[in-house]
């Protein structure tokens, strides 16, 4: 009874002003999420990042970035890795999800745990473990070692997004196709794939984004040879503060924006957000 | 160029391969699941086992076995770092889960523009981790945004030192993992049956009571998912403490990085990696057990009520 006299007015207040309370909660949280990103974008036009507010604004550091061959080579290295790792991870995720949704097989539970395992072990642990493995075979962070590391990193996420589209898919359509004489490959291509495509694309876009942003595995595995954009950025930050680093940050932001925009155009936000 | 007969032979051949596979469901499953399992075993499980092996060696193999690497973890220096890591990771998890749940809940219940808000949450999440840390350097540094803002409002005078502290690392980690926590919370709140809240309200519960007796228990699985997604990377963090903490706030992940890339003591690094894995898995196990226990304890009570 006693507690109700305290809670009662609060309850009534919430009942009446829910919308306003919600706004008051949401506003600071979204400011917290976005202010740092806005600061980065703003400071990319500054003549120095060491003092806020900056004295002068300039596009100089955009020019410096455009002429920075090391940064561009890092971008191309990133693309070479991500554009190969993503289709491999997506193909594996599709095959796995297809089997998972269709068949019961021994060890299904164990395999589910295995797929989630990279998610419950800290990145740095798998990063160094991979380094030890490749080191034993004389690896020095070759291209394929970095690609494998990326596939391992993004596969669980691709699988977690793609699997639900198989599970929610009406399998009687596949049976109908087979009854009408199509073989399994034709059925998969003409019936299954178009139905799961939004999920596959969402999974692929997330996988690509994660690979493009991937740092920890690459940092440990790469040896001296491979420098992806995040690894290059890390090396730069350790030495200096420069508006050019903010310009490079804008590249990452643009890639994220582009990927999210494509994802939203093709599928719905909920699908790319919720795994 | 394949002639027509060659083409049809290829077709026949592929048909017979398809038929062979079709008649053998186990082979089919193996072909579909095998590559994924093989990849994960070869490049996650085997490497972690190798790491375990290295942790017991005196040097690069071939080498003698030793417990020295594990003994070294209990040096006061490392115990202090482990304690700091534990405090920061726990703090990060608590704050991130609380803020993330509040955010997700407000998005679902109070806003009509959920799609836009969801976009605003995932965009930072899809932006590079290091970039987001660099943003905080811009804010927290000596003549950075925060000092400017506090000075202009008149709260403080002169430049305050925010960087290279536990607090800076904490803020950085919360910032990085907040969007990731929001997503499972959002999913569980969104998909829960809203009629139950209506029912609770019809039975006389106000918004608060309905929240604590209906929404919170119903979204428990989402909360666990968010908890795990934040706690695991927070324990293993090394980018954030390296950039925002420096020598002022060292976490275990930084030490592992150091052992690998500067000290070249891979064996001690591996031992620390094993230790970190055990701590994380033990915490997860505890969380799961606590959850299971909760369910078992709750059951008689709910049955009594109905």
């Amino acid at each position: 009874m006693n507690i109700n006299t305290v809670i009662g007015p609060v309850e009534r207040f919430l009942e009446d002003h829910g919308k306003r309370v919600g706004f008051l909660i949401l506003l600071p949280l979204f400011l917290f999420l976005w202010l740092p990103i806005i600061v980065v974008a703003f400071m990319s036009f500054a003549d120095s990042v060491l003092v806020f507010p900056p004295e002068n604004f300039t596009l100089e550091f955009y020019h410096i970035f455009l002429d920075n061959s090391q940064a561009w080579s890092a971008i191309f290295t990133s693309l070479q890795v991500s554009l190969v790792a993503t289709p491999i991870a997506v193909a594996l995720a599709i095959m796995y999800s297809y089997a998972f949704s269709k068949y019961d097989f021994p060890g299904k539970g164990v395999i589910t745990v295995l797929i989630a395992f990279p998610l419950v072990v800290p990145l740095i642990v798998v990063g160094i473990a991979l380094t030890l493995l490749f080191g034993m075979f004389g690896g020095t962070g070759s291209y394929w070692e970095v690609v494998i590391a990326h596939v391992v990193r993004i596969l669980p996420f691709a699988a977690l997004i793609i699997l639900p589209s198989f599970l929610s898919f009406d399998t009687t359509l596949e049976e109908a196709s087979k009854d009408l004489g199509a073989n399994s490959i034709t059925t998969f291509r003409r019936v299954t794939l178009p139905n799961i495509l939004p999920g596959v694309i969402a999974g692929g876009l997330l996988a690509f984004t994660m690979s493009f942003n991937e740092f920890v595995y690459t940092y440990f595995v790469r040896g001296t040879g491979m420098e992806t954009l995040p690894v290059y950025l890390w090396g730069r930050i350790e030495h200096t503060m420069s508006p050019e680093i903010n310009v490079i940050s804008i590249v990452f932001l643009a890639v994220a924006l582009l990927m999210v925009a494509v994802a939203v155009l093709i599928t719905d936000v909920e699908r790319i957000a919720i795994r | 160029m394949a002639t027509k007969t060659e083409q049809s032979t290829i077709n026949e051949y592929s048909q017979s391969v398809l038929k062979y596979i079709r008649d053998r469901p186990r082979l089919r499953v193996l072909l579909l699941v095998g590559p994924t399992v093989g990849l994960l075993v070869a490049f996650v499980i085997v490497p972690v086992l190798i790491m375990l092996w290295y942790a017991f060696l005196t040097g690069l193999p071939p080498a003698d076995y030793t417990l020295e690497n594990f003994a070294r973890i209990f040096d006061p220096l490392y115990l202090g770092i482990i304690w700091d890591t534990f405090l920061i990771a726990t703090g990060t998890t608590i704050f991130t889960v609380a803020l993330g749940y509040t955010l997700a809940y407000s998005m679902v219940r109070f806003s009509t523009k959920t799609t836009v808000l969801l976009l605003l949450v995932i965009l930072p999440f899809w932006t590079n981790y290091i970039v987001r840390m660099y943003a905080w350097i811009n804010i927290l540094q000596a003549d950075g945004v925060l000092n400017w803002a506090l000075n202009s409002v008149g709260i403080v005078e002169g430049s305050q030192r925010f960087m290279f502290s536990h607090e800076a690392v904490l803020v950085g980690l919360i910032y990085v993992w907040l969007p990731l926590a929001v997503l499972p919370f959002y999913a569980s709140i969104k998909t829960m049956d809203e009629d139950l809240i209506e029912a609770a309200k019809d039975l006389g519960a106000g918004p608060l009571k309905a929240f604590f007796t209906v929404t919170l228990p119903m979204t428990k699985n989402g909360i666990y998912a968010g908890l795990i997604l934040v706690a695991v990377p927070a324990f293993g963090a090394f980018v954030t403490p390296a950039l925002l903490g420096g020598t002022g706030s060292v976490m275990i992940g930084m030490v592992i990085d150091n052992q690998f890339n500067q000290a070249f003591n891979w064996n001690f690094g591996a031992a620390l990696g094993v230790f970190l894995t055990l701590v994380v898995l033990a915490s997860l196990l505890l969380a799961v057990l606590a959850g299971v226990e909760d369910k078992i304890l709750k059951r008689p009570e709910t049955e009594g009520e109905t």
Side-chain angles (χ1 to χ4, degrees):
Chain A
M1 271 301 134
N2 220 345
I3 208 155
N4 278 342
T5 52
V6 185
I7 292 176
V10 181
E11 298 265 36
R12 263 192 302 282
F13 181 80
L14 286 176
E15 200 85 76
D16 296 343
H17 302 281
K19 273 243 137 60
R20 245 160 283 171
V21 172
F23 181 75
L24 283 178
I25 296 170
L26 286 172
L27 187 69
L29 286 170
F30 275 100
L31 277 180
F32 176 64
L33 278 179
W34 276 89
L35 219 49
I37 291 174
I38 293 167
V39 166
V40 164
F42 181 76
M43 293 303 276
S44 70
F45 298 106
D47 58 346
S48 160
V49 284
L50 291 174
V51 179
F52 188 91
E55 295 201 343
N56 294 300
F57 293 95
T58 170
L59 284 174
E60 189 195 336
F61 290 94
Y62 279 83
H63 290 295
I64 291 177
F65 165 71
L66 290 176
D67 291 336
N68 182 342
S69 59
Q70 241 189 314
W72 281 100
S73 118
I75 290 178
F76 286 124
T77 306
S78 275
L79 288 175
Q80 276 169 11
V81 173
S82 302
L83 289 175
V84 172
T86 305
I88 296 175
V90 168
L92 289 174
I94 291 176
M95 283 155 62
Y96 162 76
S97 307
Y98 183 82
F100 187 91
S101 66
K102 276 205 147 35
Y103 309 109
D104 271 316
F105 46 89
K108 205 171 176 177
V110 178
I111 293 169
T112 315
V113 173
L114 183 68
I115 289 208
F117 190 69
L119 300 176
V120 295
V121 178
L123 286 181
I124 191 167
V125 169
V126 183
I128 59 166
L130 274 172
T131 313
L132 294 175
L133 174 83
F134 292 145
M136 286 181 78
F137 295 100
T140 49
S142 72
Y143 172 73
W144 283 106
E145 286 168 359
V146 173
V147 169
I148 288 171
H150 277 234
V151 173
V152 168
R153 172 85 175 99
I154 64 185
L155 178 61
F157 290 91
L160 283 180
I161 290 205
I162 292 172
L163 183 60
S165 47
F166 273 97
L167 293 176
S168 62
F169 162 58
D170 183 2
T171 47
T172 53
L173 291 173
E174 288 175 338
E175 276 151 35
S177 159
K178 282 180 187 162
D179 287 347
L180 293 170
N183 66 33
S184 359
I185 288 187
T186 312
T187 303
F188 181 79
R189 202 161 47 84
R190 311 260 316 246
V191 179
T192 317
L193 202 54
N195 275 287
I196 57 155
L197 206 56
V200 170
I201 291 171
L205 288 167
L206 178 71
F208 175 83
T209 313
M210 293 198 78
S211 168
F212 194 77
N213 287 323
E214 157 55 33
F215 171 69
V216 179
Y217 283 17
T218 325
Y219 171 74
F220 280 101
V221 168
R222 84 203 146 99
T224 47
M226 302 283 294
E227 192 165 63
T228 60
L229 194 58
V231 172
Y232 173 73
L233 187 66
W234 169 261
R236 286 289 306 267
I237 290 180
E238 279 199 314
H239 296 114
T240 59
M241 290 279 292
S242 156
E244 198 201 344
I245 299 173
N246 282 336
V247 175
I248 297 173
S249 303
I250 297 296
V251 175
F252 280 109
L253 190 61
V255 170
L257 259 171
L258 182 73
M259 291 297 134
V260 170
V262 174
V264 171
L265 279 179
I266 293 169
T267 169
D268 59 313
V269 191
E270 302 242 335
R271 202 198 280 271
I272 54 171
I274 296 165
R275 298 179 298 277
Chain B
M1 274 293 277
T3 64
K4 213 166 189 178
T5 38
E6 274 174 2
Q7 192 68 54
S8 63
T9 333
I10 291 170
N11 275 341
E12 265 169 44
Y13 182 67
S14 62
Q15 284 301 329
S16 62
V17 170
L18 274 182
K19 192 176 177 312
Y20 183 83
I21 295 172
R22 190 165 44 236
D23 295 342
R24 286 163 184 78
R26 287 197 155 205
L27 177 66
R28 195 163 40 184
V29 169
L30 188 70
L31 285 175
L32 287 168
V33 180
T36 296
V37 172
L39 187 90
L40 290 174
V41 168
F43 296 110
V44 178
I45 303 301
V46 168
V48 169
L49 291 177
I50 291 176
M51 183 181 75
L52 185 65
W53 180 50
Y54 263 72
F56 288 103
L57 294 180
T58 52
L60 300 187
D64 292 333
Y65 288 92
T66 178
L67 286 172
E68 190 61 30
N69 300 312
F70 286 102
R72 211 176 142 193
I73 296 176
F74 295 95
D75 181 297
L77 168 72
Y78 296 115
L79 282 182
I81 292 171
I82 289 164
W83 178 240
D84 284 349
T85 305
F86 177 78
L87 288 184
I88 293 174
T90 311
T92 303
T93 310
I94 293 171
F95 278 110
T96 310
V97 166
L99 290 176
Y101 197 90
T102 312
L103 185 56
Y105 184 84
S106 309
M107 278 167 68
V108 177
R109 294 277 179 265
F110 297 134
S111 171
T112 45
K113 298 187 177 63
T114 328
T115 317
V116 179
L117 293 184
L118 208 52
L119 267 177
L120 288 176
V121 170
I122 52 175
L123 250 171
F125 171 59
W126 283 31
T127 307
N128 192 275
Y129 187 109
I130 301 172
V131 166
R132 287 185 278 161
M133 287 304 94
Y134 193 67
W136 279 96
I137 298 179
N138 274 304
I139 294 171
L140 297 177
Q141 64 177 329
D143 287 308
V145 178
L146 185 59
N147 263 315
W148 168 78
L150 292 179
N151 273 292
S152 6
V153 189
I155 296 178
V156 299
E157 228 168 276
S159 161
Q160 299 290 309
R161 191 173 161 279
F162 297 115
M163 287 283 287
F164 311 122
S165 63
H166 286 1
E167 290 76 14
V169 176
L170 189 66
V171 169
L173 286 175
I174 293 170
Y175 180 73
V176 169
W177 300 117
L178 182 60
L180 192 62
V182 170
L183 301 179
F185 297 160
Y186 176 87
S188 63
I189 298 169
K190 180 92 179 181
T191 52
M192 102 172 230
D193 190 356
E194 259 184 82
D195 291 346
L196 290 173
I197 298 174
E198 287 308 314
K201 286 186 178 169
D202 287 346
L203 294 170
L208 277 183
K209 208 165 186 182
F211 173 77
F212 283 108
T213 53
V214 181
T215 310
L216 211 51
M218 292 280 296
T219 52
K220 210 151 71 183
N221 286 338
I223 297 175
Y224 287 136
L227 206 77
I228 290 170
L229 284 176
V230 175
V232 172
F235 269 104
F238 84 98
V239 172
T240 305
L243 293 178
L244 300 181
T247 47
S249 178
V250 179
M251 288 176 77
I252 191 169
M254 274 172 84
V255 182
I256 296 178
D257 172 32
N258 250 300
Q259 292 303 318
F260 264 82
N261 289 317
Q262 266 110 54
F264 298 107
N265 189 342
W266 288 20
N267 304 95
F268 182 50
L272 283 169
V274 170
F275 178 79
L276 179 60
T277 311
L278 290 178
V279 168
V280 168
L281 291 182
S283 328
L284 292 185
L285 199 65
L286 272 179
V288 170
L289 284 180
V292 172
E293 193 121 55
D294 211 353
K295 266 173 219 154
I296 295 167
L297 289 176
K298 277 266 161 66
R299 187 159 296 154
E301 190 189 317
T302 39
E303 270 170 7
E305 276 171 16
T306 44

